[in-house]
Amino acid sequence: MNLLNHEPVHNLGKHPSSLEAFSAAQRIHGEVRRSGMSYRVQLAWDGKRLVGRLGGAIFGENVYLEAHQGQLLGSVASSGRAFALHAQHGGKRLQLRLVGAEHGSSAQLEFSEDSASGWAYLEGVAQPVEVKFGPTRLDARTGSEQEVTLHHPGFAAWVLAAVALVADVAARNAWRVLLDSYAGWAEA
């Protein structure tokens, strides 16, 4: 699967928003886990676009990313917030930025043969990131409390690492909203 030489991102407002539009696409599925919580990952790759959903019916995020010359560009959006994503791969390094809503995030990973490591900056706090790649599975950990597992048909490592980081950030934001709503109910 070649991620280079794809058309640039055009008009993100008119992109397909469901997996049904990608019936022949290859799938990535998995979850983000934290003690007592789980957040689903369901994405499809059609050769140049990565489209799908993170989370569930509540706190769901629509994902639309396009590959263009070693970059993934696009958006992660739900009804309450939206993030613009820019991931760039060069050599053995991946740099990722999510910008929008209240909090922006960034990450930088260095790749070795079957792993990657680096840092994610979440709400101004640096968290270590460790990623292990298998032929059809990715296992990642951000900080000490959150894990991401992705199952895939053999995608490029840097694309999978970007998906894992995006899923991690989206899950953190969803859980923050959930905990804030519980705190609001307790005060009422």
Side-chain angles (χ1 to χ4, degrees):
M1 198 175 330
N2 186 357
L3 292 175
L4 302 177
N5 302 321
H6 292 290
E7 297 174 14
V9 175
H10 295 289
N11 198 351
L12 292 177
K14 294 185 178 181
H15 65 274
S17 60
S18 67
L19 291 176
E20 292 83 27
F22 289 80
S23 60
Q26 296 180 359
R27 310 278 183 207
I28 297 174
H29 65 92
E31 66 181 347
V32 181
R33 288 179 313 283
R34 174 184 275 201
S35 180
M37 298 181 181
S38 177
Y39 192 77
R40 288 189 317 223
V41 177
Q42 298 178 59
L43 301 173
W45 170 257
D46 74 348
K48 65 180 175 179
R49 287 179 299 264
L50 194 58
V51 177
R53 193 152 173 83
L54 304 174
I58 302 173
F59 302 117
E61 311 283 346
N62 293 316
V63 176
Y64 181 80
L65 305 173
E66 283 195 26
H68 178 68
Q69 297 179 354
Q71 298 181 65
L72 284 176
L73 307 167
S75 63
V76 179
S78 69
S79 59
R81 60 191 177 260
F83 294 94
L85 171 91
H86 177 240
Q88 184 165 350
H89 176 250
K92 293 187 175 202
R93 179 174 286 166
L94 172 69
Q95 294 180 318
L96 179 133
R97 288 185 320 175
L98 276 167
V99 180
E102 297 173 18
H103 307 285
S105 300
S106 63
Q108 184 168 323
L109 296 178
E110 294 283 335
F111 291 83
S112 63
E113 288 183 24
D114 61 353
S115 65
S117 61
W119 295 91
Y121 298 92
L122 309 166
E123 300 176 6
V125 177
Q127 298 279 338
V129 178
E130 296 293 328
V131 183
K132 300 283 184 200
F133 301 101
T136 60
R137 181 178 166 134
L138 170 144
D139 291 297
R141 178 180 285 279
T142 303
S144 61
E145 78 282 351
Q146 194 146 292
E147 297 177 354
V148 180
T149 301
L150 299 176
H151 302 276
H152 60 88
F155 288 0
W158 74 272
V159 172
L160 291 167
V163 168
L165 290 167
V166 168
D168 180 90
V169 169
R172 288 173 190 276
N173 286 324
W175 291 328
R176 184 183 322 103
V177 169
L178 181 63
L179 292 174
D180 289 349
S181 69
Y182 286 155
W185 292 338
E187 291 173 3

